[in-house]
């Protein structure tokens, strides 16, 4: 691995650290600043896809809880970089915690495609998914890494 690739991997890892912190603090502007204008997201929450920063921002505004704490626990991302493109994958536990300590959170799978635009890494595509039981079609929210 070259020094440039190591620097790019560190910059991408920093994006995920900033993304997690912005989620925990519910800072919508800090979240959205990490995405490309033409973001395509396959979020775990429907619809099937979100296209463009305006549409995705509206989704974030709807999904961030007003009266609950965000739960965001990420495993260390596996990051690969080649030129102006990067990919990453990790398991993430996310959801919300009510004031009484009750949580609605589960582990999911996350994969990302990033692009270097104007010398800055941006998230161009993300995909969150929850595994499901093949026999009954039910989401498997109780899985642990």
């Amino acid at each position: 691995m070259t020094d440039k690739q190591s620097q790019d991997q560190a910059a991408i890892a920093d994006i995920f650290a900033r993304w997690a912190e912005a989620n925990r603090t519910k800072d919508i502007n800090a979240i959205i600043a990490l995405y490309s204008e033409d973001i395509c997201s396959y979020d775990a929450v429907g619809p099937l896809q979100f296209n463009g920063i305006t549409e995705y921002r509206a989704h974030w505004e709807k999904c961030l809880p007003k009266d609950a704490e965000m739960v965001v626990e990420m495993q260390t991302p596996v990051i690969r970089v080649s030129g102006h493109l990067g990919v990453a994958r990790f398991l993430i536990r996310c959801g919300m915690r009510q004031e009484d300590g009750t949580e609605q959170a589960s582990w999911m799978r996350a994969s990302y495609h990033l692009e270097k635009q104007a010398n800055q890494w941006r998230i161009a595509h993300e995909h969150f998914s929850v595994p499901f039981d093949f026999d009954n079609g039910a989401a498997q929210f109780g899985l642990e890494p």
Side-chain angles (χ1 to χ4, degrees):
M1 179 181 316
T2 67
D3 286 342
K4 179 69 173 130
Q5 286 173 315
S6 293
Q7 291 171 359
D8 285 335
Q9 284 181 331
I12 290 170
D14 181 62
I15 283 178
F16 294 123
R18 292 177 12 222
W19 183 91
E21 181 60 22
N23 270 270
R24 287 185 199 102
T25 60
K26 302 183 220 176
D27 185 343
I28 188 84
N29 291 326
I31 293 169
I32 294 302
L34 302 171
Y35 290 96
S36 174
E37 287 290 322
D38 63 348
I39 176 67
C40 175
S41 176
Y42 301 159
D43 199 354
V45 179
L48 281 176
Q49 67 181 3
F50 298 92
N51 289 301
I53 199 72
T54 302
E55 187 175 306
Y56 203 39
R57 181 185 182 99
H59 171 66
W60 273 101
E61 289 171 346
K62 186 173 105 177
C63 287
L64 286 174
K66 306 279 186 268
D67 300 323
E69 176 185 346
M70 287 295 296
V71 174
V72 180
E73 179 183 344
M74 299 170 59
Q75 289 189 333
T76 302
V78 174
I79 300 169
R80 304 278 192 269
V81 177
S82 181
H84 72 284
L85 298 176
V87 294
R89 69 177 189 274
F90 50 88
L91 296 178
I92 182 169
R93 183 172 174 269
C94 61
M96 61 185 85
R97 182 179 302 118
Q98 302 298 328
E99 285 185 24
D100 66 3
T102 305
E103 284 190 2
Q104 292 175 306
S106 65
W107 284 97
M108 296 186 294
R109 302 168 289 201
S111 56
Y112 283 80
H113 153 201
L114 298 100
E115 295 178 3
K116 200 168 204 179
Q117 302 169 351
N119 214 30
Q120 296 290 318
W121 285 101
R122 294 285 182 257
I123 300 167
H125 176 73
E126 68 184 356
H127 187 158
F128 293 101
S129 65
V130 176
F132 72 94
D133 183 291
F134 187 77
D135 293 327
N136 65 22
Q140 296 178 311
F141 291 111
L143 298 178
E144 298 283 330

